Amino acid sequence: MRIGILGVGSLAEYLVRGARGFEGGERVEFLLSPRSATRAAKLAATQGCVVAASNQAVVDRCEMVLICLPAAGGLEILADLRFTPAHLVCSAMAAARIAPLRAAVAPAAAFCAMMPGYANAFSAGPSLLFPDNGPWAEFLGKLGPVHPFADATTFETAAVFGAMSGASVFLMRHLIDWYTKHGLSPDLARRLVAETLRGNAEVLLQSDEPLDLIARGVTTPGGITEMLVAHLEQTGALTAWHEAMDMVLARMSPD
């Protein structure tokens, strides 16, 4: 499998690292655009990637092209390149929509993907793919679970998880900060928060109980969980998540 990557920023680095760390990942060849020369050189030295002379050189040598360009200006860069019907172009650009992407890379086949990024470096982050495609699903499967979508509306709704994932890091940092201010070492606070959230995530993944039943099971009437959640609800802290995610969805789906 040969993957050409246009745009060598943090996301591209995470995806390369994740694919390389996956069993059999050494059989994936990566050809990088010269954008972000320092990072591209680093990936060439540490991950066995090859740096192409230009964006068009990447397209000319790879049928599978992964787009990690900045959302601002990314489509314009793609429109200046020459694609063929044999190309499979997958965009991981934030808020990418399928219709403008198809127009920019025609006559190539176009796909949209969304992933958290950093978690994919450890093959632990989910990826969304629209529409489904065997070769791209195979590649993304090296980076974590893959969820294919059959229509743009549900894909765009699910893609809000990209922002949700990033925001959850800020939430974890906020919780860790509370523990350190109250005397825990930064290392212990970090592990305590991460292990707690990972444990609860495993409950959702492995238990078939309804979510409301799980919530009741971890809440003792009159106990400390009930007290904490009640205050969060009274101050609008939980509702604010829905409001903010609505804002992200509106930005990603302006129509």
Side-chain angles (χ1 to χ4, degrees), residues 60-196:
D60 291 343
R61 293 175 58 186
C62 301
E63 290 188 353
M64 294 179 67
V65 180
L66 181 63
I67 311 304
C68 297
L69 294 164
L75 290 176
E76 288 77 6
I77 293 174
L78 294 177
D80 288 336
L81 302 174
R82 299 182 303 278
F83 294 91
T84 73
H87 280 108
L88 303 175
V89 180
C90 184
S91 172
M93 294 187 296
R97 306 185 72 204
I98 194 68
L101 178 65
R102 283 171 173 161
V105 303
F111 308 87
C112 287
M114 176 63 76
M115 64 281 291
Y118 211 150
N120 299 110
F122 303 94
S123 297
S127 295
L128 313 182
L129 177 62
F130 169 70
D132 195 7
N133 174 261
W136 279 117
E138 179 185 353
F139 170 70
L140 294 174
K142 303 178 188 302
L143 310 173
V146 181
H147 302 281
F149 286 80
D151 66 274
T153 300
T154 54
F155 170 80
E156 290 169 1
T157 299
V160 173
F161 100 104
M164 180 193 74
S165 173
S168 70
V169 174
F170 285 83
L171 172 61
M172 288 189 290
R173 186 180 70 173
H174 193 71
L175 295 173
I176 291 167
D177 183 61
W178 184 90
Y179 284 108
T180 58
K181 286 181 177 178
H182 286 74
L184 269 63
S185 69
D187 180 65
L188 176 57
R190 179 169 174 157
R191 294 194 64 85
L192 181 62
V193 170
E195 290 166 353
T196 300

Side-chain angles (χ1 to χ4, degrees), residues 11 13 18 29 40 51 61 70 109 121 142 156 159 173-174 183 197 203 208 213 219 237-238 245:
L11 177 60
E13 179 176 352
E29 300 178 27
V51 182
R61 293 175 58 186
K142 303 178 188 302
E156 290 169 1
R173 186 180 70 173
H174 193 71
L197 296 183
V203 171
D208 57 2
L213 184 60
T219 306
L238 298 181
M245 292 170 71

